[in-house]
Amino acid sequence: MKTEIIPVGTEILLGNIVDTDSSFLASELSSLGLDLYFISTVGDNHDRLFDTLKRAWERAGLIIVTGGLGPTQDDITREAIGMLVDEELRVDEALWQELRNLFSRYPGRIPEGNTKQAAVIPSAQVIHNSMGTAPGWWVEKDGHIIIALPGPPEEMKLMWQESVRPRLKQKTGEAIILSRTIKTFQVAEARVDELVAPISGLSNPTLATYINPDGVYLRITAKAQRREEAESLVRRTEEQVRAMLASHIWGVDDETLESVVGDLLRSRELRLATMESCTAGLLCTTVAGGRESCIFYRGGLLACSHEAKTALGVGVQPGEPHGEENLKVAKAMAETARQSLNADIGLGVGGRLSCDTNSGDVFTAIVWDEFDMTHTHRVRGNHLRMKQRATYAALFDLRRVLLERRINAPDH
Amino acid sequence: MKTEIIPVGTEILLGNIVDTDSSFLASELSSLGLDLYFISTVGDNHDRLFDTLKRAWERAGLIIVTGGLGPTQDDITREAIGMLVDEELRVDEALWQELRNLFSRYPGRIPEGNTKQAAVIPSAQVIHNSMGTAPGWWVEKDGHIIIALPGPPEEMKLMWQESVRPRLKQKTGEAIILSRTIKTFQVAEARVDELVAPISGLSNPTLATYINPDGVYLRITAKAQRREEAESLVRRTEEQVRAMLASHIWGVDDETLESVVGDLLRSRELRLATMESCTAGLLCTTVAGGRESCIFYRGGLLACSHEAKTALGVGVQPGEPHGEENLKVAKAMAETARQSLNADIGLGVGGRLSCDTNSGDVFTAIVWDEFDMTHTHRVRGNHLRMKQRATYAALFDLRRVLLERRINAPDH
């Protein structure tokens, strides 16, 4: 069924709040196999809300309105829906009693405005709000469904889970939408597009690519009547994608590069230490932020200058290093981290990031007992983006090394 | 001028990403005195995007489209705008050359798809993208302005700040909206509301409070025909607010705690070093992220375990420290940072953050030649929030110490 979400609230149009309700509802709708074509955000203005509702009525079978159900003057969702389906609002005595009971728990009398919240139209069924005073509406008329939900995310989500989702699931067959996100690094978005071109025309599953600091994501989305169907559709396409993108792929779905690297280290009982300069702490923060990092991560050193590197025991020539020397410095940093934090593996990241050219050269080094290796990376973007790219480049290198070489953990 | 934002992207309608671009743009537009009436989100579908653009053309003078400027097949914003203003797309050779130069820095040839990004229509002026390959568009036709920006938040924001905002500001002289944000720490939002209650009823300027990781913000917003009026409205209210919140205030507008602390250190030629545990790298990342941090920040140490602390030279008793001992450990960490990084001031942050109770105890220490001091802080929230609060608590302590005591820099 074609669906449209209508978030109502001037605070959204003023940028005072981020509308997270819509993204929650969007992913819920897609998991129900409902096609969301538009999210039409409008302010607390009666005419504009009415126009938006009318348009939605013309192009969608299911309309979900969030917000505008409060007790104040500028809460106009009830009135606008009444006008849309040409029905009059009347105070529902039972509902009004319910609200009064709710308020009787608190000191002070019930604010007059709240009678508004007890007003309903004949074809509206009230949806109980177990968290707040704003009841929701489920309206069915002329083959359309209009659902009005409160704006506050917690109230909206609870009402959705308790009452709306189950009921919608019955209405809307069992069409299932499954998606799988394949995560890559060190390959351009357009290049990913080229590589998967042979299957990019598919209508089911569909393919979509996104750029992220930790690389290009490729999302496979399949739609089917039964979960098994959807799963096998996704599986088959994922196999093709994996054959096409091969070594660029580092993870799927919720996996992060730090969690992938962390799992490899943990499973081999290896302990990591880092030393960084140009990433300005982002490397240690990212690694330490990974799942159960305390098990495999000893800690990290940040040196913001050559002086600081020397103070921490990194043997560097005075002055800016050049060419090969950069790799030597990165290696010395990795070794210093490893030794001073008594770890098995040292990861060093140095380099220069220019905010004038928005580009930089990053040098990574990985060091442990039997072996060490260094890499050079080119990064682009604003300062933050370059630091992110450098951090993920280092983790991507470490991941590959851990996969390619059997590093044995010494007996701890 | 009536404005409409059109976020383009199926990933938004599938709930895979939260559209933060719109809330950013919304608050920017309101600060420019532009009236945002609709945010119309649509997927990567040519017909639906075209319909949405046509409707926006009918009801808005300024249309801002975000997303759909990438190099892939489902990036259709350029085509749709061309169709809307009835102009043809042609590859701009200069732009194409620019893109080729961009790619020449990387191994491998430029992907064919990227020619798309060099295509423009006659009335489109290209907006340079200093972070990515997707150029923006500034289109003026028949009294309408259409601005197309890339979807990735960092790219969009940078392009907005660098090129779009200044240019829009010229176009839209009319009413001036000025706002001033007063930033506080270690005072609850409800308490801020109480303190400013005497003036919170104002309609111009208006007052609004927001909770942030680095404290509660209080925003004063004034609207006037002339800048001078708006400025004096804001100034008068700010004076009242300052009298009410006094010592809780640490900064205004774009100031960050790290930049405020950094300016104090720089002006006194003091060099800082940090050591942290429970903040997991957030302290050094935050300090290093501050303006010109390289001048005053030597670097930082992160120890993820007692073992690691010992390895780095912090003398700690085996086992979890208790009571007073926690402060001793924090002080030893500050001292270790100061010595091993050869700095004037050492800042140490340790403690325990419980994700079960969502609360934790944080111990901060500040050490330099003549003096040292320690503090205990209670933090609450999810893990990230607690780490942020601990980081800012440490910086807030350091700021107060720097203001209260005359720390003299040794001759460097």
Side-chain angles (χ1 to χ4, degrees):
Chain A
M1 177 159 35
K2 290 183 187 173
T3 309
E4 179 157 352
I5 296 175
I6 301 180
V8 182
T10 301
E11 66 274 25
I12 302 174
L13 297 181
L14 287 173
N16 292 334
I17 68 164
V18 177
D19 168 30
T20 55
D21 288 351
S22 295
S23 56
F24 168 82
L25 289 171
S27 62
E28 284 289 306
L29 291 167
S30 103
S31 75
L32 286 169
L34 291 162
D35 298 312
L36 178 62
Y37 281 170
F38 301 96
I39 300 173
S40 305
T41 308
V42 61
D44 305 317
N45 172 285
H46 192 284
D47 297 347
R48 289 195 285 275
L49 174 53
F50 179 68
D51 288 346
T52 306
L53 279 166
K54 243 181 27 217
R55 175 134 313 109
W57 181 272
E58 290 156 13
R59 58 190 187 184
L62 170 62
I63 303 170
I64 300 178
V65 186
T66 58
L69 295 181
T72 71
Q73 284 312 314
D74 51 2
D75 290 299
I76 53 173
T77 297
R78 280 173 293 259
E79 291 79 351
I81 294 176
M83 203 166 139
L84 177 71
V85 296
D86 192 21
E87 293 184 16
E88 256 185 41
L89 283 158
R90 286 219 184 68
V91 171
D92 177 306
E93 277 314 321
L95 186 55
W96 180 223
Q97 186 54 50
E98 203 180 300
L99 282 175
R100 279 204 299 272
N101 298 342
L102 202 65
F103 272 85
S104 64
R105 296 198 211 125
Y106 306 96
R109 47 162 202 71
I110 179 167
E112 269 320 306
N114 288 81
T115 48
K116 272 179 71 106
Q117 300 188 298
V120 293
I121 54 172
S123 52
Q125 298 166 51
V126 170
I127 310 172
H128 176 68
N129 182 336
S130 41
M131 249 183 101
T133 62
W137 277 15
W138 179 292
V139 179
E140 287 193 37
K141 190 154 187 175
D142 308 340
H144 287 69
I145 301 178
I146 306 173
I147 299 167
L149 302 170
E154 296 73 19
E155 289 182 40
M156 186 278 295
K157 284 180 186 168
L158 195 63
M159 192 178 284
W160 173 267
Q161 305 289 15
E162 285 180 348
S163 318
V164 181
R165 191 181 208 285
R167 195 161 166 186
L168 267 180
K169 208 163 164 55
Q170 291 173 349
K171 288 261 169 206
T172 63
E174 296 295 313
I176 295 283
I177 291 192
L178 275 188
S179 63
R180 175 91 159 160
T181 302
I182 312 291
K183 300 182 173 182
T184 71
F185 196 74
Q186 278 171 350
V187 54
E189 183 184 25
R191 179 72 184 131
V192 170
D193 235 45
E194 277 181 3
L195 289 169
V196 299
I199 55 172
S200 60
L202 296 177
S203 65
N204 186 29
T206 56
L207 294 182
T209 54
Y210 310 103
I211 303 180
N212 291 277
D214 56 355
V216 174
Y217 294 1
L218 180 79
R219 202 190 60 243
I220 306 166
T221 308
K223 186 171 184 173
Q225 284 310 305
R226 294 180 306 103
R227 170 164 289 275
E228 302 68 36
E229 276 176 68
E231 279 169 349
S232 77
L233 279 169
V234 169
R235 200 179 315 108
R236 252 179 287 136
T237 310
E238 178 173 354
E239 280 160 14
Q240 295 172 288
V241 168
R242 286 190 174 274
M244 292 159 174
L245 296 173
S247 65
H248 294 298
I249 299 172
W250 59 260
V252 297
D253 295 340
D254 308 339
E255 286 181 325
T256 61
L257 250 172
E258 54 270 29
S259 66
V260 167
V261 167
D263 293 346
L264 286 168
L265 290 166
R266 213 167 47 243
S267 66
R268 304 182 189 183
E269 296 182 2
L270 291 165
R271 296 169 309 176
L272 174 72
T274 60
M275 180 164 181
E276 67 198 291
S277 56
C278 67
T279 42
L282 197 59
L283 176 62
C284 70
T285 310
T286 304
V287 175
R291 185 170 57 237
E292 296 185 75
S293 61
C294 49
I295 298 176
F296 62 84
Y297 189 45
R298 304 301 308 269
L301 312 175
L302 164 63
C304 297
S305 64
H306 270 44
E307 239 179 317
K309 286 193 190 106
T310 320
L312 289 171
V314 177
V316 290
Q317 311 296 329
E320 279 293 303
H322 293 294
E324 276 306 297
E325 226 181 286
N326 287 298
L327 297 170
K328 285 208 190 74
V329 173
K331 190 178 151 189
M333 290 167 70
E335 189 54 45
T336 301
R338 180 166 169 269
Q339 283 176 10
S340 52
L341 277 150
N342 182 25
D344 305 311
I345 299 182
L347 175 62
V349 180
R352 271 174 302 284
L353 309 178
S354 158
C355 292
D356 307 329
T357 65
N358 282 313
S359 69
D361 295 308
V362 176
F363 309 97
T364 64
I366 298 163
V367 170
W368 71 92
D369 281 340
E370 301 102 39
F371 188 82
D372 62 69
M373 65 199 312
T374 57
H375 291 96
T376 305
H377 299 276
R378 193 111 237 267
V379 294
R380 293 193 67 262
N382 68 3
H383 196 209
L384 173 62
R385 176 53 61 97
M386 287 192 286
K387 287 190 286 184
Q388 291 172 324
R389 300 294 292 187
T391 296
Y392 289 119
L395 291 174
F396 191 68
D397 290 343
L398 178 53
R399 172 184 166 275
R400 197 170 39 215
V401 169
L402 288 168
L403 288 175
E404 285 171 2
R405 317 198 149 240
R406 259 264 144 245
I407 309 175
N408 303 317
D411 312 333
H412 295 153
Chain B
M1 178 158 36
K2 290 185 186 169
T3 309
E4 177 156 354
I5 297 175
I6 302 181
V8 182
T10 301
E11 66 272 28
I12 302 173
L13 296 181
L14 287 171
N16 291 324
I17 67 167
V18 177
D19 169 28
T20 54
D21 288 351
S22 295
S23 56
F24 168 82
L25 289 171
S27 63
E28 285 288 306
L29 291 168
S30 98
S31 76
L32 287 170
L34 292 163
D35 299 312
L36 178 62
Y37 281 170
F38 301 96
I39 301 173
S40 305
T41 308
V42 60
D44 305 317
N45 172 285
H46 191 285
D47 297 347
R48 290 196 284 274
L49 174 54
F50 179 68
D51 289 346
T52 306
L53 279 166
K54 241 177 33 212
R55 174 134 315 107
W57 182 272
E58 290 156 12
R59 60 191 186 184
L62 171 61
I63 304 171
I64 299 177
V65 186
T66 57
L69 294 180
T72 71
Q73 285 313 312
D74 51 7
D75 291 300
I76 55 174
T77 297
R78 280 172 294 259
E79 289 80 350
I81 293 177
M83 202 166 140
L84 177 71
V85 297
D86 194 19
E87 294 184 13
E88 255 187 42
L89 283 159
R90 288 217 185 70
V91 171
D92 177 307
E93 276 314 320
L95 186 55
W96 180 222
Q97 185 54 49
E98 201 178 302
L99 283 177
R100 278 204 299 271
N101 297 342
L102 207 63
F103 271 83
S104 63
R105 304 205 198 123
Y106 304 94
R109 49 173 194 66
I110 180 168
E112 268 322 304
N114 287 83
T115 48
K116 273 180 69 106
Q117 300 187 298
V120 293
I121 54 173
S123 52
Q125 298 166 50
V126 170
I127 310 173
H128 176 67
N129 182 334
S130 41
M131 249 186 98
T133 62
W137 277 13
W138 179 292
V139 179
E140 287 193 38
K141 189 155 186 174
D142 308 340
H144 288 68
I145 301 177
I146 306 173
I147 299 167
L149 303 170
E154 293 86 0
E155 289 183 39
M156 185 278 295
K157 285 181 187 170
L158 193 64
M159 192 178 283
W160 174 267
Q161 306 288 15
E162 285 179 349
S163 317
V164 181
R165 191 181 209 284
R167 196 161 164 186
L168 268 180
K169 211 164 164 54
Q170 291 176 343
K171 289 259 170 203
T172 63
E174 316 114 29
I176 296 286
I177 296 189
L178 275 188
S179 66
R180 175 90 160 159
T181 303
I182 312 292
K183 301 182 172 182
T184 71
F185 196 73
Q186 278 173 350
V187 55
E189 185 182 26
R191 180 69 184 131
V192 171
D193 281 343
E194 276 178 20
L195 290 168
V196 300
I199 55 171
S200 59
L202 298 176
S203 64
N204 186 29
T206 58
L207 294 182
T209 54
Y210 308 97
I211 303 179
N212 290 277
D214 55 356
V216 175
Y217 294 2
L218 182 78
R219 195 177 66 205
I220 306 166
T221 307
K223 190 169 186 173
Q225 283 313 306
R226 294 180 307 100
R227 167 164 293 274
E228 301 67 36
E229 281 175 61
E231 279 170 347
S232 76
L233 280 167
V234 170
R235 198 180 316 109
R236 251 177 292 142
T237 310
E238 177 172 355
E239 281 159 14
Q240 294 171 292
V241 168
R242 286 190 174 276
M244 293 159 176
L245 296 174
S247 66
H248 293 298
I249 299 172
W250 57 260
V252 296
D253 295 339
D254 307 341
E255 286 182 326
T256 61
L257 250 172
E258 55 270 27
S259 65
V260 168
V261 168
D263 292 346
L264 286 168
L265 290 166
R266 213 166 47 242
S267 65
R268 304 182 189 184
E269 294 184 6
L270 290 166
R271 297 169 309 175
L272 174 72
T274 60
M275 180 163 180
E276 65 198 293
S277 56
C278 67
T279 42
L282 196 59
L283 176 63
C284 70
T285 310
T286 303
V287 175
R291 185 171 57 238
E292 297 186 74
S293 61
C294 48
I295 298 177
F296 61 86
Y297 189 45
R298 305 300 309 269
L301 312 176
L302 164 64
C304 297
S305 64
H306 269 47
E307 234 180 320
K309 284 193 192 108
T310 319
L312 289 171
V314 177
V316 290
Q317 310 297 326
E320 282 292 305
H322 293 294
E324 276 306 298
E325 224 183 291
N326 286 298
L327 297 170
K328 284 209 192 75
V329 174
K331 189 179 153 190
M333 289 167 71
E335 189 53 47
T336 300
R338 178 166 168 269
Q339 283 175 10
S340 53
L341 277 150
N342 182 26
D344 305 310
I345 299 183
L347 174 63
V349 179
R352 272 175 303 284
L353 309 176
S354 156
C355 292
D356 306 330
T357 66
N358 281 320
S359 70
D361 294 309
V362 176
F363 310 96
T364 64
I366 298 164
V367 171
W368 70 93
D369 280 339
E370 303 102 40
F371 189 82
D372 63 66
M373 65 200 310
T374 56
H375 292 95
T376 304
H377 298 276
R378 192 113 244 263
V379 294
R380 288 196 175 66
N382 64 13
H383 194 210
L384 173 63
R385 178 50 63 99
M386 287 191 287
K387 288 189 287 185
Q388 292 172 323
R389 300 296 290 187
T391 297
Y392 289 119
L395 291 175
F396 193 68
D397 290 342
L398 180 53
R399 170 184 166 276
R400 198 171 39 218
V401 169
L402 289 167
L403 288 176
E404 286 170 1
R405 317 196 149 241
R406 261 260 144 250
I407 308 174
N408 302 316
D411 311 334
H412 293 153

